[in-house]
Amino acid sequence: MLFRPLLPTTVRWRPIEGDGLEHVTVAPINDTATGATIRASGVIIGGRGGSPYGVFYRIDCAANWAVLSFSVETTEGRRLALLSDGEGHWRTEDGLSLPQFDGCIDIDLYGSPFTNSLPIRRLELTPEDGTAKLSMLYIPFDSFEPVRDGQYYTCIVPGALYRYAAEDRAFTVDLPVDADGLVIDYPIYFKRVDL
């Protein structure tokens, strides 16, 4: 096991440039109805390109950190909530299947260093594993329309440093993580804030 067992943990990140904050509490739960054993509840405020945003989110995961459900709601009241079987098959709360996202086990919220921790924890990669190519269910805050996004993760130092790369390799960054597998800093974009 690369990371310690999860205890209730609260972390914050701020953008390196501009105003904003992500505040999240990650804790073990026991939701017998859904099988979720990990819940992340957070808020993100910020702005890019002159467009401010404020969202509340909740992400429920299985014991292996596979996403089972999430909801995101803006301060203006727009909401998106989807459910998964934990193996990359998504549906709406009304049960409508979303086959365009088949294979997306993890989600990526715009402006969230926390969601980079989801595949890091789930995969527990070592250098011997090589690079994992993932399809993410990505939620931009301008349109709130989820899209499929290709990403790569590589372990540099087990339990301490992981490389993220966009599918087109136009952007690559090394992400240090703490003993919980939570991103510490996201170089050039976000820095962890001590509570």
Side-chain angles (χ1 to χ4, degrees):
M1 179 179 282
L2 295 177
F3 304 108
R4 66 184 173 195
L6 182 66
L7 296 173
T9 304
T10 298
V11 293
R12 290 180 175 175
W13 297 267
R14 63 171 175 74
I16 291 175
E17 293 184 13
D19 293 328
L21 186 71
E22 178 176 12
H23 173 100
V24 63
T25 299
V26 187
I29 63 168
N30 184 17
D31 187 333
T32 54
T34 65
T37 60
I38 300 163
R39 174 167 291 157
S41 300
V43 61
I44 304 171
I45 57 171
R48 284 201 187 149
S51 298
Y53 54 84
V55 299
F56 305 97
Y57 68 84
R58 188 177 93 184
I59 304 168
D60 284 352
C61 299
N64 69 350
W65 289 77
V67 176
L68 297 175
S69 67
F70 74 89
S71 63
V72 185
E73 184 172 355
T74 68
T75 55
E76 295 89 21
R78 285 188 302 158
R79 183 173 182 272
L80 174 67
L82 300 178
L83 307 169
S84 173
D85 63 359
E87 296 183 17
H89 302 99
W90 291 88
R91 66 189 185 286
T92 65
E93 289 180 304
D94 296 331
L96 177 67
S97 179
L98 301 170
Q100 67 270 35
F101 301 120
D102 280 358
C104 297
I105 296 174
D106 308 292
I107 67 166
D108 187 4
L109 300 179
Y110 176 83
S112 170
F114 169 72
T115 52
N116 290 95
S117 300
L118 296 171
I120 290 171
R121 279 299 310 244
R122 183 176 62 79
L123 296 171
E124 291 196 349
L125 294 173
T126 66
E128 294 76 29
D129 295 321
T131 298
K133 181 180 180 187
L134 304 174
S135 291
M136 309 296 264
L137 196 150
Y138 174 70
I139 297 90
F141 293 160
D142 55 354
S143 70
F144 247 49
E145 292 294 324
V147 296
R148 189 181 197 96
D149 184 47
Q151 301 180 0
Y152 293 94
Y153 282 83
T154 307
C155 175
I156 307 301
V157 178
L161 188 64
Y162 295 82
R163 179 164 294 145
Y164 159 84
E167 184 172 36
D168 64 4
R169 307 288 181 147
F171 179 75
T172 301
V173 66
D174 290 347
L175 303 172
V177 299
D178 63 18
D180 293 312
L182 302 177
V183 170
I184 297 171
D185 291 324
Y186 196 118
I188 80 168
Y189 287 118
F190 301 98
K191 183 157 189 64
R192 189 103 147 236
V193 178
D194 292 330
L195 294 176

